[in-house]
Amino acid sequence: MPAIIVIGGQWGDEGKGRVVDLIARKAHVVARYSGGNNAGHTVVNEFGESRLHLVPAGIFYPDKVCVIGNGVIIDPKVLLEEIDDLQSRGVTVEKLHISSRCQIIMPWHLMIDRLDEELRGKGAIGTTARGVGPCFADKVFRAGIRMADLIDPEAFRERLSFLLPYKNAVLEKLYGAEPLSFEEVFSTYSEYAAKIAPSVTETAELVQDALERGETVLLEGAQGTLLDLDAGTYEFVTSSTPSSMAAGAGVGIGIGPTQISKVVAVYKAYQTRVGNGPMPTELVGEEGDTLRERGHEYGATTGRPRRCGWFDAVASRYTARLNGLTGMVMTRLDVLDQYPSIKVCTAYRLDGKVTKTFPSNIRALLRVEPVYEELPGWQKETKQVRAFEDLPPQAKAYVQRIQELVGCPIDMVSVGPEREQAIIINPII
Ligand code: IMP
């Protein structure tokens, strides 16, 4: 079977890790292809609760090959900490393979991310401060260090000798910061490199070989389409290239579009966002606080409270179409269990006119008012339900209405964080 993409349909944090952890059971290879350790994929299974930032969510199955593809940027310290943590809990990481083409997050990227946010002041993006934007910027600017350079001591010395004086000039002259010491950076990162090197390989070839053998490859997206550089709410987006859209998956792993058979996007049953930027259905005050507490909506990477609001079908239809979805997964339906009624945004009112178009102009998006449809709540616990027909009728109606508004079949609904707390409607694999 060819490759299947699992992607975020909103502003990230939709539960992609949770979905991949469940469906990886039937896959052979699980691969991350974009983003960096700004991602935080929460998985709850027999190993307890894990927050994965770089390692694919297939890692909990000892027989699955896990790949970090070329589109991912790597902070080596974070990767090693994550591997140590997994190993200390009995998870085997022997089948983890890392692309030699991954870009490396260096200490200057971490500094610049923080310093640049300070300089932007009120216009700050609200990044995760993990060095992601500056690292992707350097990739495009052809001033990055790749894994292949890092693990080759001569190449690393040469690359660092060239880049560090230039980065130090930027740090000192532009940001007024202290310069970094060559010897310190070289020795620390050389130690990381020695530990990571045995897992580094030509991952594109590994994935292509698996596909040629007829194996199933799951491509685990990071962030969400509304955070995509092109499709998202620019400039309040992440910097991943290849993108947080399905179209970027092939680029970020090294396969062509003809090898992709399914694109499934994960959506929460409501809307959340961390960081700044427009969010038309955001609930402020008590209503937002209630939803946040019911959903325990705090960032898996930064711990920041997430902004919460009703499901935005305008934004969701926009992301469904951009990704050419074959199916969607709705997560966290159980979080809505207690509501007597639930709102869904079906259109925007913009300057007196009703529209179903997701505006590209950020000022327009800040001005839109959501047009809501109100559906009856079910006020019954759903976390123990495992078959769609066993859901309360109002919950079924809610799922079906969202399916209709987004224009895409719902393959699965999750009703809790644990692996088995899911209702499979159409098996994804
Ligand atoms: P950056 O990716 O750290 O540069 O952050 C840019 C924007 O994307 C900020 O609004 C972050 O909060 C958001 N962001 C980045 N990664 C994630 C994620 O995995 N989940 C949710 N939001 C994210």
Side-chain angles (χ1 to χ4, degrees):
M1 197 190 226
I4 297 173
I5 302 174
V6 176
I7 199 163
Q10 295 165 319
W11 277 289
D13 309 320
E14 301 92 351
K16 296 173 290 293
R18 185 246 178 282
V19 173
V20 170
D21 174 60
L22 173 66
I23 64 174
R25 182 184 286 162
K26 291 197 191 155
H28 299 87
V29 179
V30 184
R32 272 276 307 268
Y33 63 85
S34 68
N37 61 301
N38 46 351
H41 292 181
T42 305
V43 173
V44 184
N45 56 24
E46 69 271 27
F47 293 96
E49 181 169 325
S50 312
R51 283 182 185 172
L52 299 170
H53 300 290
L54 286 164
V55 175
I59 200 73
F60 301 101
Y61 299 92
D63 60 325
K64 310 297 174 203
V65 171
C66 284
V67 172
I68 300 182
N70 57 274
V72 180
I73 55 171
I74 293 188
D75 183 328
K77 181 169 183 273
V78 173
L79 177 65
L80 290 167
E81 281 168 2
E82 195 165 313
I83 290 174
D84 277 353
D85 173 59
L86 287 165
Q87 283 178 323
S88 73
R89 290 187 294 124
V91 182
T92 159
V93 294
E94 272 150 40
K95 291 196 166 184
L96 176 66
H97 304 279
I98 301 159
S99 170
S100 47
R101 293 172 190 269
C102 288
Q103 296 276 330
I104 306 298
I105 298 184
M106 296 300 293
W108 53 86
H109 295 135
L110 292 161
M111 292 170 74
I112 293 173
D113 201 353
R114 187 174 48 78
L115 293 162
D116 208 69
E117 282 283 89
E118 275 169 29
L119 272 185
R120 283 175 187 246
K122 276 196 193 148
I125 291 159
T127 73
T128 59
R130 299 300 187 263
V132 169
C135 182
F136 274 118
D138 272 352
K139 173 181 180 178
V140 178
F141 203 49
R142 294 151 298 177
I145 293 179
R146 302 203 299 177
M147 188 59 90
D149 305 322
L150 183 73
I151 62 169
D152 172 344
E154 277 317 299
F156 183 41
R157 182 175 284 282
E158 198 180 297
R159 193 82 184 127
L160 194 64
S161 307
F162 162 69
L163 282 174
L164 196 62
Y166 154 46
K167 289 294 165 188
N168 273 340
V170 171
L171 285 172
E172 286 183 274
K173 292 181 186 155
L174 184 61
Y175 297 102
E178 289 293 311
L180 289 156
S181 136
F182 178 92
E183 282 315 323
E184 264 177 46
V185 176
F186 185 74
S187 68
T188 309
Y189 280 71
S190 297
E191 276 176 37
Y192 298 149
K195 291 184 185 157
I196 295 172
S199 308
V200 177
T201 187
E202 295 290 338
T203 51
E205 214 168 273
L206 192 149
V207 173
Q208 291 154 7
D209 289 347
L211 288 170
E212 274 171 26
R213 286 193 298 271
E215 296 179 357
T216 300
V217 175
L218 255 187
L219 299 172
E220 177 182 349
Q223 289 81 45
T225 305
L226 296 174
L227 286 172
D228 182 82
L229 257 182
D230 285 86
T233 49
Y234 192 86
E235 71 274 20
F236 300 100
V237 290
T238 189
S239 305
S240 279
T241 66
S243 64
S244 318
M245 284 200 285
V251 185
I253 204 69
I255 59 170
T258 50
Q259 287 161 302
I260 290 157
S261 66
K262 282 190 181 179
V263 182
V264 177
V266 185
Y267 293 82
K268 270 182 200 169
Y270 47 94
Q271 210 77 23
T272 64
R273 172 164 205 169
V274 257
N276 303 331
M279 177 177 171
T281 62
E282 180 173 14
L283 294 169
V284 284
E286 213 180 302
E287 273 191 296
D289 295 345
T290 305
L291 188 48
R292 182 175 313 109
E293 292 317 313
R294 286 186 182 163
H296 310 292
E297 292 292 354
Y298 293 89
T301 298
T302 57
R304 289 181 290 178
R306 294 181 184 140
R307 300 155 65 192
C308 298
W310 297 119
F311 190 86
D312 185 338
V314 178
S316 300
R317 184 171 157 75
Y318 166 73
T319 61
R321 296 177 81 193
L322 278 173
N323 286 306
L325 297 189
T326 53
M328 62 191 275
V329 173
M330 181 192 278
T331 56
R332 296 182 161 240
L333 183 71
D334 56 300
V335 172
L336 302 179
D337 281 355
Q338 296 169 53
Y339 284 94
S341 69
I342 299 163
K343 288 183 186 167
V344 179
C345 166
T346 56
Y348 296 151
R349 189 166 287 111
L350 177 62
D351 304 329
K353 289 197 183 118
V354 172
T355 175
K356 292 195 176 180
T357 300
F358 189 75
S360 53
N361 181 326
I362 204 98
R363 286 191 172 78
L365 197 57
L366 283 164
R367 275 202 317 277
V368 301
E369 287 168 38
V371 176
Y372 284 120
E373 180 174 305
E374 200 155 345
L375 284 94
W378 43 96
Q379 296 189 288
K380 282 197 186 81
E381 210 172 79
T382 54
K383 65 179 188 211
Q384 71 297 339
V385 178
R386 297 291 174 272
F388 187 69
E389 53 278 15
D390 296 338
L391 279 173
Q394 299 88 340
K396 276 193 274 192
Y398 182 72
V399 172
Q400 276 159 345
R401 183 66 183 130
I402 295 237
Q403 177 169 276
E404 211 172 85
L405 288 166
V406 178
C408 176
I410 295 186
D411 291 336
M412 176 180 147
V413 177
S414 85
V415 286
E418 287 175 26
R419 192 181 271 170
E420 303 306 329
Q421 288 182 302
I423 298 167
I424 312 289
I425 302 169
N426 307 304
I428 296 169
I429 304 183

